[in-house]
Amino acid sequence: MRGVLLLLAPVLLATSCVTKAPPAPMPAARPQERTDADATLELAIYDLVNGYRKSKGLPPLTLDAQINRLARLHSAAMATGKVHFGHDGFGERAKLLAQDGPKAVAENVAYDLGHADPAEEIVAGWLQSKSHLANIEGPYARTGVGAARNVTGEIYVTQLFVDLPRRTRNIVASGVCAKD
């Protein structure tokens, strides 16, 4: 079965809904060792998102090592079954990122079931979803992308979007889920 399941968490706090969950990993599942393929996938997603932003006249997002780390940790937690596919722990990730002063944090999540080009499929799915697209087109300046595979090779991806500090912007709380 091939498919991509996408979820997102816009702006600082989120709720999660899953309309079709991926198969649950075995309780003792461990993530597959991080490979060059994971790094290549992360960079491909980053490049595709920035390519889209450029086509719309939006400034590129800057890849941030701290945000990458948080995105990778969440993807690995989903791949091992420590958290359900979705936005478990998003509030904690947002708080960690907010220590530097950003006023908005958003998250897109995807699960790939075996496409030949998972980066292309994931980003295409996000671009077809109004709420995922809102994150991609949002007023964010920094991003991080994390990919992890479970022992059967299924891919979990998290992309975090972080706004630079703005003293006049209010914190907004909402949550939206979307399915490809």
Side-chain angles (χ1 to χ4, degrees), residues 24-83:
M26 298 178 355
R30 294 185 179 186
Q32 190 177 20
E33 287 294 316
R34 185 159 172 76
T35 65
D36 288 341
D38 296 330
T40 300
L41 175 61
E42 292 168 356
L43 286 175
I45 290 170
Y46 170 73
D47 288 341
L48 288 166
V49 167
N50 266 345
Y52 175 81
R53 286 177 63 91
K54 182 178 180 180
S55 76
K56 298 298 179 186
L58 299 169
L61 299 167
T62 301
L63 201 56
D64 182 290
Q66 177 189 7
I67 303 170
N68 277 345
R69 185 180 150 286
L70 288 176
R72 286 178 187 141
L73 287 171
H74 182 58
S75 293
M78 290 188 295
T80 61
K82 289 181 182 176
V83 300

Side-chain angles (χ1 to χ4, degrees), residues 17-30:
C17 60
V18 177
T19 55
K20 179 183 174 192
M26 298 178 355
R30 294 185 179 186

Side-chain angles (χ1 to χ4, degrees), residues 69-157:
R69 185 180 150 286
L70 288 176
R72 286 178 187 141
L73 287 171
H74 182 58
S75 293
M78 290 188 295
T80 61
K82 289 181 182 176
V83 300
H84 293 289
F85 171 71
H87 304 290
D88 289 355
F90 175 70
E92 290 81 15
R93 286 186 294 286
K95 284 179 189 175
L96 285 170
L97 294 169
Q99 290 175 353
D100 293 337
K103 299 296 182 192
V105 176
E107 177 177 82
N108 286 356
V109 175
Y111 168 79
D112 187 76
L113 299 168
H115 288 94
D117 187 348
E120 187 72 37
E121 289 294 323
I122 288 167
V123 174
W126 285 342
L127 294 176
Q128 293 172 10
S129 161
K130 284 183 183 181
S131 41
H132 290 94
L133 181 60
N135 285 346
I136 291 170
E137 292 181 341
Y140 303 106
R142 296 180 293 157
T143 192
V145 181
R149 299 167 198 262
N150 65 15
V151 293
T152 62
E154 297 159 329
I155 301 168
Y156 294 79
V157 174

Side-chain angles (χ1 to χ4, degrees), residues 13 25 73 118 121 147-148 162-163 167-168:
L13 298 175
L73 287 171
E121 289 294 323
V162 180
D163 191 13
R167 296 187 188 279
T168 58

